[in-house]
Amino acid sequence: MRTGHEIREAIARKQTSALEVVEQALESAGRLETELHAYIRLLPERARIKAREIDAAVTRGDKLGPLAGVPIAVKDIFTVAGEIATAGSKILENFRSPYSATVVEKLERAGAVIIGKTNMDEFAMGSSCENSAFFPTRNPWDVTRVPGGSSGGSAATVGAGTVPIGLGTDTGGSIREPASFCNIVGVKPTYGRVSRFGMIAFASSLDQAGPMTADVRDAAQTLEVIAGFDEFDSTSVDVPVSDYTAALRDDLSGVRVGIVAEFEAEIGASDPALAALYKAAYADLERLGATLVEVHLPHARYGLATYYLIAPAECSSNLARYDGARYGRRVQNGGDVFEMFERTRAAGFGDEVKRRIILGTYALSAGYYDAYYVRAQKIRTLIKRDFDTSFAACDVIACPAVSCAPFELGQKMQDPVSMYLMDYFTIPMSLAGIPALSVPAGYVTGLPVGLQIVAPAFEEARMLGIAHAYEAATGHARRREPPLAGAAR
Amino acid sequence: MSTKVANAAATDYEPVIGLEVHVELKTNSKMFCGCRNEFGAEPNSLVCPICLGFPGTLPVINRKAVEYLCKTGLALGCSIAAHSKFDRKNYFYPDMPKNYQISQYDMPLTTGGSVTLPSGKRVRLNRIHLEEDTGKNVHAGGRMAGAEYTLIDYNRAGVPLMEIVTEPDLSSPDEAEAYLVQLKAVLSALGVSDVKMHEGSLRCDANVSIRPAGSSALGTKAEVKNMNSFRSVVSALEYEIARQKASLAAGERIVQETRNWDEARKLTYSTRSKEQAHDYRYFPDPDLVPLSLEPATLERWRAELPELPLAKRGRFMESYGLSDYDATILSADIPTAVFFEAVVAASGEPKAAANWMLNDVPRALEKHGLTIESTRMKPGQLAELIKLVKSGTISGKAAKEICEAMVADGEDPQAVIAQRGLAQVSDEAAIAKLVDEALAANPDSIASYKAGKTKALEFVVGQVMKASRGKANVEIVRAALIKRLE
Ligand SMILES: [Zn+2]
């Protein structure tokens, strides 16, 4: 048993119990933790209570939710009522949330059992999980390497097979890059498709929650559960949620797949081995019946610069609330309330967070606002238009999810820009607010790499359907096991 | 004395005043969350994760607040923006849970419009925008700097706040007060706010500068804050204008700064705040989508507007023959206007009704700590009282006593008259008897009267009234006395 849908079936058929599944997941998580460091906190008691509720429902013969009894791991950026939510930061290390995120409520209502809160780059700022204020998470494929970030903990625990489903967030690639690095499926939905209420904000106009799963079917099922309008999030969009699992398909006849000329030139020059792997992936799509068409994203090269103005600008304001007055960490050594704010923030935030707050504060300052923030918004519009133009010629875009295979811990920590470049292929979609996913595409020197599939806004069903056909035909993830495997499968 | 100073002293200056009025909207819930919007509750009892700015929370716009602001704009002839947006005003302050305030920067809900004063002057409005109120800080020791500790009450944090900004159109402290009175009247007619300055639901800051009389240039302005009543607005403005004149006369420059009004010391002082150094880093709030208003919605709101104070004043003058002054006062407060019109309807005596509503009723209300809404007196009772005076059943003096009893206890006038024996005596035989007694007791006055001293007559009238314990009809007493003496 490896996927969420298999587990749910087995529980529904009474071949196993939710409690048994949860105990296995907890055991696996605990056993791997010394090497993997995927969890900031396990929630064994809460998990057992929920599992017993599912088992009682099975015994009574109740109608079971679509994720009944499926153990899941939730990134520590989401609030769960009564539990601590740190967002990977010291400043929230003792913050116990009085309420649950909308997505958490929806998952629990669907029967999912949260076994723990996973590690992440502080406030989701990072691409390697090394910016966690607590400890770095390792890659189950090679513990000397990073799992990607910022949703590194969820990626690592799903990649290791401890749980089939993790919940992550993606602002510029924080679901897709770690999914790629850990050989799992990671979906960033359309901006507004999933409620942000209860998801601790990094950059509000970019943040989206999404599933990180063992296979495409689990991703489709999970997205179906968490998607939808939320009256508590004004930016969530009132568009009906499709039946994503029904849209899963096995061939690609009639599908036009756009290949981005600029991206191919970029990766061909920087990493020929990786470029060859992606070429093979596009050929697989063609073999399944798809037609490849060349498309252009001329403004995508400005994506990184645009992103590093908009995201820090929003975060500089979003993170202003962490001042020690109402919750979280407080550092008070005499002095007035403003001194308390300064000391709390100086001690509570890590270097990368401080770097971005300073960047964003600068970008929004009087005299610079028009030159930086306003201009960045204009480029964002141009990037969005590039996608609109491209989608006139194709149904989905296939492109690299990452610019390299998982790298070693510490390799990029002294060079923030090389770390920022990790999101080169994922940031344009975030800026355009359109859905994109990463699906396992094979291995480079034994390390996993993902293929990115991108669709127009609210066309998640199409995107998942195509990813499913590719996954079914290639089965890259099914073919190998990571050295750090979670459980007897 | 240098020439420059002498010139400055010789120059005649005129003040230029603009007001920024913050009005808390009387919605059921707060601006961006479901907490109750209420004054005077236990500290931090009206809070939730959203208005406390907890991690992960998001704001949702209160449509009622938008409606209230737009109705105010429609009533004041403002143009309502079909599209507007909310922005974040970023600065650190402990009474702000998110360390930014959601406000409107460059696309306010309304622009233009005006408030017409009873004098006929139109005070132009620059804009009205919607924002959230802050909490309240209480510093041990009074000031934040060096305070031993600071307590924060977040009940007010997130209460919908409408900021109404005028053009610098006001030319005296009295005009500023007239503007506030008129604005308050409009807002209470619309029912969008409690407009209680002492509870902070209406707050006023003033931008004040002076310039040589007749000049069209604007001088350097000071922003005056912390005024807690209409009275203190007038005093603060008077002080500030005099201060600026004195500064210029002494050859000093006016500095652009924020000054607080000190009610106890009756002066303004510089806050020496770093206000000028503040860069609020406004940017569109990415948690909220732009606000669009349908023309049909605006038309519906326009149709729902009640009669406004100035229109009501005009109608009171025209239909009831009231003076400008009386009509202004009676139309300014909606409950008073409603009560007044009910008394008129029941009595058919608008002038008498106005007199009572302007004099004895407010006096009695104040004496008993009541308001026109809390008194048990009914309009029909006051109308009855007016009829009783007109028919001569009671004297004017007795009527005042009855009025107070009615205001205090809500008793019927007839009941008070019966209880206290206040019916007027108009019986001529009974009065003639009292007159005879009075004349017998005061033979001197008869002589004085006959010697041409009319004052003596009034003395005897007074004696008769005293003997009747005020119940005798004074006109009949006077007539009887003259008849007897001639
Ligand atoms: Zn609230």
Side-chain angles (χ1 to χ4, degrees):
Chain A
M1 258 183 323
R2 161 165 198 278
T3 65
H5 48 96
E6 287 162 353
I7 291 171
R8 186 203 179 269
E9 277 311 297
I11 291 171
R13 289 185 185 152
K14 300 185 186 175
Q15 291 159 346
T16 183
S17 71
L19 190 60
E20 198 179 327
V21 171
V22 156
E23 293 297 355
Q24 279 168 11
L26 287 169
E27 183 278 326
S28 164
R31 177 162 45 80
L32 296 185
E33 197 54 15
T34 49
E35 284 186 273
L36 207 55
H37 306 289
Y39 290 87
I40 290 178
R41 190 169 288 95
L42 284 167
L43 304 174
E45 291 319 307
R46 185 186 182 91
R48 287 180 184 118
I49 291 167
K50 296 285 175 191
R52 286 193 190 100
E53 285 171 18
I54 300 291
D55 287 332
V58 172
T59 308
R60 285 194 303 269
D62 293 356
K63 189 174 183 298
L64 297 179
L67 297 175
V70 179
I72 64 167
V74 172
K75 188 177 183 179
D76 209 23
I77 202 165
F78 294 97
T79 61
V80 175
E83 306 294 346
I84 287 173
T86 68
S89 182
K90 290 262 186 232
I91 212 159
L92 288 177
E93 70 186 336
N94 63 5
F95 168 65
R96 202 171 284 278
S97 177
Y99 75 103
S100 283
T102 300
V103 285
V104 165
E105 277 184 357
K106 285 185 161 188
L107 285 166
E108 291 198 325
R109 223 178 298 134
V113 179
I114 300 170
I115 68 151
K117 304 289 294 293
T118 57
N119 198 21
M120 57 182 285
D121 287 298
E122 185 175 6
F123 287 104
M125 299 176 196
S127 306
S128 68
C129 221
E130 292 165 289
N131 289 332
S132 163
F134 306 109
F135 42 77
T137 296
R138 311 298 176 117
N139 191 315
W141 289 83
D142 179 349
V143 292
T144 68
R145 292 176 187 269
V146 303
S150 65
S151 311
S154 288
T157 192
V158 175
T162 295
V163 291
I165 297 171
L167 192 60
T169 64
D170 191 313
T171 306
S174 280
I175 285 176
R176 290 162 285 166
E177 188 238 21
S180 172
F181 277 11
C182 294
N183 217 22
I184 61 171
V185 176
V187 180
K188 181 206 95 73
T190 308
Y191 183 78
R193 176 71 296 179
V194 177
S195 168
R196 293 187 296 117
F197 190 75
M199 184 176 130
I200 298 175
F202 159 21
S204 313
S205 75
L206 295 157
D207 296 344
Q208 266 295 290
M212 306 178 76
T213 58
D215 69 358
V216 174
R217 181 170 293 278
D218 274 355
Q221 185 61 74
T222 307
L223 185 61
E224 219 170 287
V225 167
I226 64 174
F229 175 70
D230 179 8
E231 59 173 349
F232 287 100
D233 176 4
S234 313
T235 62
S236 69
V237 182
D238 202 356
V239 168
V241 177
S242 318
D243 186 340
Y244 299 127
T245 45
L248 301 181
R249 53 194 288 178
D250 289 318
D251 80 296
L252 296 180
S253 48
V255 175
R256 296 166 302 161
V257 175
I259 305 297
V260 183
E262 290 85 355
F263 286 181
E264 295 313 308
E266 187 70 38
I267 199 148
S270 68
D271 192 334
L274 197 51
L277 181 143
Y278 283 123
K279 285 251 176 336
Y282 307 148
D284 286 336
L285 294 172
E286 227 174 352
R287 247 191 309 284
L288 284 163
T291 316
L292 303 187
V293 292
E294 185 177 276
V295 295
H296 292 273
L297 298 174
H299 297 95
R301 56 194 288 243
Y302 304 113
L304 206 69
T306 304
Y307 177 88
Y308 277 98
L309 287 170
I310 293 173
E314 293 179 2
C315 98
S316 72
S317 174
N318 283 336
L319 270 58
R321 69 189 63 194
Y322 307 113
D323 58 17
R326 291 160 300 280
Y327 45 76
R329 190 170 182 184
R330 174 187 295 182
V331 182
Q332 195 169 24
N333 300 316
D336 63 19
V337 66
F338 289 112
E339 263 184 78
M340 178 188 96
F341 287 6
E342 283 168 20
R343 285 171 207 248
T344 298
R345 293 167 66 79
F349 289 138
D351 288 349
E352 183 59 28
V353 171
K354 285 177 186 163
R355 183 178 294 127
R356 296 199 196 188
I357 289 174
I358 292 166
L359 262 172
T361 303
Y362 184 78
L364 289 177
S365 302
Y368 297 100
Y369 177 75
D370 289 331
Y372 293 130
Y373 188 77
V374 172
R375 188 176 278 189
Q377 291 293 4
K378 286 181 182 161
I379 298 173
R380 187 173 186 177
T381 306
L382 294 176
I383 291 172
K384 202 162 178 277
R385 266 188 221 152
D386 283 355
F387 279 108
D388 291 345
T389 312
S390 298
F391 284 125
C394 65
D395 302 308
V396 291
I397 286 171
C399 64
V402 287
S403 51
C404 66
F407 51 88
E408 287 176 352
L409 266 84
Q411 196 184 318
K412 293 179 191 284
M413 281 306 273
Q414 299 315 312
D415 183 0
V417 175
S418 77
M419 189 74 91
Y420 296 171
L421 278 165
M422 285 311 303
D423 295 330
Y424 187 87
F425 295 120
T426 48
I427 276 178
M429 299 76 183
S430 294
L431 289 169
I434 56 176
L437 60 74
S438 175
V439 57
Y443 306 83
V444 173
T445 60
L447 296 166
V449 169
L451 171 71
Q452 188 173 201
I453 296 174
V454 187
F458 298 103
E459 294 296 346
E460 280 85 356
R462 182 195 301 174
M463 176 177 85
L464 288 159
I466 291 164
H468 182 263
Y470 174 77
E471 177 192 62
T474 57
H476 291 297
R478 277 196 308 274
R479 238 170 253 155
R480 296 194 201 176
E481 282 248 306
L484 215 60
R489 284 175 177 169
Chain B
M1 191 187 266
S2 75
T3 358
K4 190 178 155 204
V5 173
N7 283 346
T11 313
D12 193 12
Y13 286 100
E14 64 179 20
V16 177
I17 303 164
L19 296 182
E20 287 172 16
V21 177
H22 284 92
V23 179
E24 283 182 352
L25 296 172
K26 201 167 57 177
T27 50
N28 290 330
S29 57
K30 290 189 182 181
M31 185 64 223
F32 296 113
C33 68
C35 288
R36 267 187 302 131
N37 170 14
E38 208 175 271
F39 179 81
E42 189 74 9
N44 295 313
S45 62
L46 306 177
V47 292
C48 73
I50 299 170
C51 58
L52 287 176
F54 267 46
T57 58
L58 297 169
V60 175
I61 296 169
N62 181 336
R63 300 293 297 192
K64 203 73 188 169
V66 174
E67 176 184 332
Y68 281 1
L69 188 145
C70 289
K71 281 184 166 170
T72 305
L74 289 168
L76 298 176
C78 310
S79 23
I80 315 286
H83 303 284
S84 69
K85 66 178 170 74
F86 286 89
D87 302 279
R88 292 187 184 175
K89 181 181 182 179
N90 294 286
Y91 63 104
F92 282 87
Y93 212 76
D95 61 11
M96 268 199 322
K98 303 181 291 293
N99 285 316
Y100 62 79
Q101 179 190 28
I102 304 176
S103 181
Q104 295 191 290
Y105 180 53
D106 54 356
M107 290 174 72
L109 262 166
T110 87
T111 50
S114 62
V115 171
T116 306
L117 306 186
S119 68
K121 173 163 178 169
R122 293 167 79 88
V123 180
R124 290 170 304 148
L125 298 179
N126 174 287
R127 61 188 278 162
I128 308 178
H129 73 248
L130 194 51
E131 58 188 27
E132 54 178 340
D133 210 343
T134 61
K136 276 183 194 161
N137 290 326
V138 182
H139 308 295
R143 300 190 62 144
M144 172 152 359
E148 193 191 335
Y149 58 86
T150 296
L151 299 173
I152 316 174
D153 177 7
Y154 290 108
N155 281 353
R156 203 181 67 178
V159 164
L161 200 59
M162 153 170 94
E163 183 173 339
I164 304 170
V165 183
T166 72
E167 297 292 352
D169 277 4
L170 298 158
S171 52
S172 71
D174 287 343
E175 207 165 79
E177 187 186 24
Y179 165 80
L180 290 173
V181 168
Q182 195 55 34
L183 181 66
K184 179 177 169 171
V186 170
L187 297 174
S188 69
L190 291 169
V192 299
S193 173
D194 283 333
V195 284
K196 288 178 185 159
M197 215 163 169
H198 60 281
E199 289 185 359
S201 55
L202 188 152
R203 308 196 284 273
C204 175
D205 299 336
N207 288 306
V208 192
S209 63
I210 58 172
R211 66 183 172 197
S215 159
S216 60
L218 290 172
T220 305
K221 66 183 180 186
E223 188 176 12
V224 183
K225 292 177 179 266
N226 199 38
M227 299 168 289
N228 299 319
S229 66
F230 287 3
R231 210 50 250 159
S232 69
V233 170
V234 174
S235 309
L237 289 175
E238 280 168 350
Y239 175 87
E240 183 58 22
I241 292 161
R243 185 192 70 83
Q244 292 189 11
K245 284 181 180 171
S247 285
L248 290 185
E252 293 161 6
R253 269 181 348 107
I254 306 292
V255 206
Q256 183 163 347
E257 61 181 350
T258 301
R259 300 182 68 87
N260 272 348
W261 170 244
D262 185 328
E263 186 69 47
R265 294 190 293 158
K266 303 284 178 214
L267 52 81
T268 67
Y269 62 91
S270 174
T271 56
R272 306 197 192 287
S273 71
K274 294 176 214 145
E275 192 85 23
Q276 268 65 50
H278 258 158
D279 177 357
Y280 292 121
R281 291 174 281 120
Y282 280 102
F283 76 108
D285 191 335
D287 287 335
L288 294 166
V289 290
L291 189 63
S292 296
L293 294 168
E294 297 294 323
T297 310
L298 288 178
E299 279 321 301
R300 181 162 51 79
W301 288 344
R302 192 193 297 278
E304 287 169 7
L305 291 181
E307 184 183 34
L308 294 174
L310 270 192
K312 202 183 282 290
R313 181 187 71 145
R315 187 167 59 80
F316 282 9
M317 288 167 70
E318 191 151 309
S319 313
Y320 303 140
L322 300 188
S323 71
D324 185 336
Y325 180 82
D326 292 357
T328 301
I329 295 181
L330 288 174
S331 60
D333 175 54
I334 296 298
T336 303
V338 168
F339 199 100
F340 163 70
E341 293 211 80
V343 177
V344 173
S347 68
E349 297 286 338
K351 283 194 177 150
N355 271 332
W356 284 104
M357 291 301 294
L358 288 164
N359 299 300
D360 293 277
V361 171
R363 201 175 300 134
L365 287 172
E366 192 177 330
K367 186 171 169 189
H368 294 279
L370 295 166
T371 67
I372 198 68
E373 288 164 289
S374 62
T375 176
R376 284 160 60 199
M377 177 174 73
K378 301 280 170 291
Q381 295 173 321
L382 187 56
E384 178 67 21
L385 187 69
I386 290 168
K387 286 182 192 163
L388 291 169
V389 174
K390 198 183 180 197
S391 67
T393 312
I394 50 172
S395 69
K397 189 161 170 262
K400 287 176 191 291
E401 189 182 332
I402 297 163
C403 175
E404 192 188 323
M406 280 163 43
V407 166
D409 306 317
E411 283 192 73
D412 280 332
Q414 299 286 15
V416 183
I417 292 165
Q419 269 166 31
R420 305 193 186 182
L422 290 172
Q424 185 161 261
V425 177
S426 301
D427 174 25
E428 291 189 20
I431 287 174
K433 186 165 168 275
L434 290 171
V435 167
D436 287 342
E437 283 168 15
L439 288 174
N442 299 283
D444 299 355
S445 4
I446 303 171
S448 300
Y449 180 77
K450 294 210 159 144
K453 291 185 180 166
T454 43
K455 245 185 167 177
L457 177 75
E458 289 310 310
F459 174 75
V460 182
V461 170
Q463 293 302 306
V464 173
M465 292 308 290
K466 197 172 166 185
S468 75
R469 287 175 38 243
K471 284 188 283 180
N473 185 323
V474 72
E475 295 311 318
I476 296 173
V477 170
R478 190 172 286 112
L481 194 54
I482 291 168
K483 202 172 145 197
R484 278 281 282 117
L485 291 170
E486 272 156 18

